[in-house]
Amino acid sequence: MRKAIVVGGGIGGLSAAIGLNGIGWEVTVLEQAPELTAAGAGISLWPNALRSLETLGVRLGKLQEQSSGGLHDRRGRRITRWDADAFRRNHGRPLAAIHRADLIGALRDTLPADCVRTGTEVTGIDDLDADVIIGADGIHSGLRKQLWPEHPEPVYSGSTAFRGVTTLPRAIDLSTSWDDGAEVGVIPLYDGRVYWWASYVAEAGIRHEDPKAYLREHFGGWHEPIPELIEATPPEALLHHDLYLLGTPLPSYVKGRVALLGDAAHAMPPFLGQGGCQAIEDAVVLAAALSTTDDVDEALKSYDEQRRPRSQGVVKASVQAGKVGPQLRNPLAVAVRNGVFRLLPGALTARIGAGVSGWTPPVPRRPAPPRTR
């Protein structure tokens, strides 16, 4: 039986383990943290990710499909309306969201109980005995640095972000709101929870003694339910991270028997909501490539040829989306952009992003079941 070691127990690493386990490989996931955890935040699952998870056989019991919403300015004036039915028709699946902890739990439950080893630090590739090693160790990947020591480090996107999950006494809609150099997003989750984030242009590394007071000062005058969400989120539940990306594309995602995926290969800013989705795509393509041939080198070459152009294109699109969206600061340019968006017909806005989210995954070949007499 072929053996694979996955370094990193996040969304991409667990998805890769599921894919390889499904094609008959023996898989071990090595996670440095003492237990599998996820930041207290949500994640958008676009149709490309939903198709990939279906292909991997992952069941998501706590998935929340988004039913209505729109894009607004900070005062709540509508810029565009989001039509969930039209979106589904154009993209083939709904836009959905899930708490990261629920997604990690669903991925973990799809794997054999003894597959994941937590509290295990990987210091070098040479110590790993496997036919394939998968580097899913995040944006500051140690494996990437070991394989490409001269490659530039991740760069700051120009924006920082607060994130939180809370509950409100009433149902609310999906929404994104823009102002000069700032964005607030609101996504309903399962069981009445709400995931929200506030990103804005700022220097990297700035932190605030009282983060909630800072949010009240800078976002408390935005339209509801934004101030209400800030007030309802406990201070200890607020997350604050600067947003980085792998600004210089890697020349390959593969070196020898090692393949990188997810943020280790193509970390991107979150302005298209595709970071985790692209990691799941990586996983299903890797499994499909390894299921079609016994030649590991050929399979990894195929994985790189399929994934590198697409994922690096999504990185570029994410950067561009930030520049014309939440990172745009010139008031005149903001007014022109909002005016143009308001003129777009609903049928057109429902098709935006279909080139990314319309992607269909390959289907890995499952091993034949043993014959019985």
Side-chain angles (χ1 to χ4, degrees):
M1 179 181 291
R2 295 289 182 94
K3 296 182 180 180
I5 291 176
V6 180
V7 181
I11 292 170
L14 294 176
S15 297
I18 291 167
L20 295 185
N21 181 72
I23 64 171
W25 283 53
E26 179 184 328
V27 187
T28 302
V29 179
L30 305 180
E31 168 56 43
Q32 182 175 347
E35 59 183 10
L36 290 183
T37 58
I43 179 173
S44 300
L45 292 178
W46 291 73
N48 52 313
L50 295 177
R51 291 189 194 91
S52 298
L53 290 167
E54 291 167 9
T55 300
L56 294 173
V58 178
R59 296 182 179 180
L60 299 174
K62 296 183 178 181
L63 192 70
Q64 182 67 38
E65 295 185 10
Q66 304 302 303
S67 59
S68 62
L71 176 66
H72 306 82
D73 64 18
R74 63 173 291 165
R75 295 170 58 184
R77 295 176 298 187
R78 187 184 298 278
I79 298 174
T80 64
R81 175 178 171 269
W82 185 75
D83 186 326
D85 293 334
F87 180 91
R88 183 190 281 267
R89 288 194 301 271
N90 283 282
H91 298 251
R93 294 289 190 284
L95 173 63
I98 191 170
H99 196 289
R100 284 180 177 267
D102 293 334
L103 177 56
I104 291 291
L107 295 171
R108 179 65 185 88
D109 290 345
T110 310
L111 288 167
D114 59 351
C115 179
V116 179
R117 299 180 187 174
T118 55
T120 305
E121 182 179 3
V122 175
T123 57
I125 297 171
D126 295 339
D127 297 332
L128 303 179
D129 182 18
D131 296 286
V132 170
I133 298 166
I134 300 163
D137 51 342
I139 186 170
H140 299 293
S141 169
L143 291 190
R144 184 182 67 234
K145 190 169 184 63
Q146 184 175 347
L147 294 171
W148 288 277
E150 303 303 320
H151 193 81
E153 291 293 310
V155 296
Y156 183 49
S157 71
S159 290
T160 191
F162 283 92
R163 296 178 292 164
V165 174
T166 189
T167 57
L168 292 181
R170 56 187 172 80
I172 61 172
D173 292 334
L174 170 78
S175 72
T176 300
S177 302
W178 284 343
D179 192 35
D180 301 1
E183 172 186 68
V184 177
V186 178
I187 302 181
L189 297 177
Y190 179 79
D191 271 354
R193 292 173 295 176
V194 181
Y195 167 51
W196 64 273
W197 73 90
S199 74
Y200 54 95
V201 175
E203 294 182 14
I206 297 176
R207 293 299 179 265
H208 308 281
E209 184 176 349
D210 188 339
K212 196 159 181 175
Y214 177 85
L215 289 169
R216 286 193 193 103
E217 179 184 355
H218 290 271
F219 297 96
W222 288 45
H223 67 87
E224 292 294 350
I226 293 168
E228 189 178 1
L229 288 167
I230 293 171
E231 291 301 328
T233 306
E236 65 273 13
L238 286 171
L239 304 173
H240 185 190
H241 295 97
D242 294 333
L243 306 178
Y244 281 80
L245 69 145
L246 199 61
T248 303
L250 280 169
S252 175
Y253 292 170
V254 171
K255 182 167 285 190
R257 59 183 175 142
V258 183
L260 300 182
L261 61 73
D263 283 352
H266 47 69
M268 63 189 69
F271 303 124
L272 288 181
Q274 279 288 327
C277 299
Q278 290 300 303
I280 298 167
E281 281 191 18
D282 291 344
V284 72
V285 171
L286 180 62
L290 288 168
S291 74
T292 58
T293 177
D294 291 330
D295 187 331
V296 170
D297 291 339
E298 179 184 331
L300 294 184
K301 181 174 182 290
S302 175
Y303 163 74
D304 180 61
E305 290 175 346
Q306 293 180 68
R307 290 307 303 157
R308 191 155 42 89
R310 173 165 166 82
S311 58
Q312 290 179 351
V314 175
V315 173
K316 291 179 181 178
S318 299
V319 172
Q320 186 61 30
K323 289 179 178 179
V324 301
Q327 293 183 314
L328 191 63
R329 303 180 73 181
N330 181 284
L332 178 58
V334 168
V336 171
R337 177 203 63 196
N338 292 357
V340 170
F341 270 73
R342 286 191 177 99
L343 294 174
L344 295 178
L348 178 59
T349 58
R351 293 198 297 269
I352 293 175
V356 173
S357 65
W359 183 84
T360 300
V363 179
R365 296 180 183 176
R366 309 291 177 180
R371 295 182 178 180
T372 58
R373 294 183 179 179

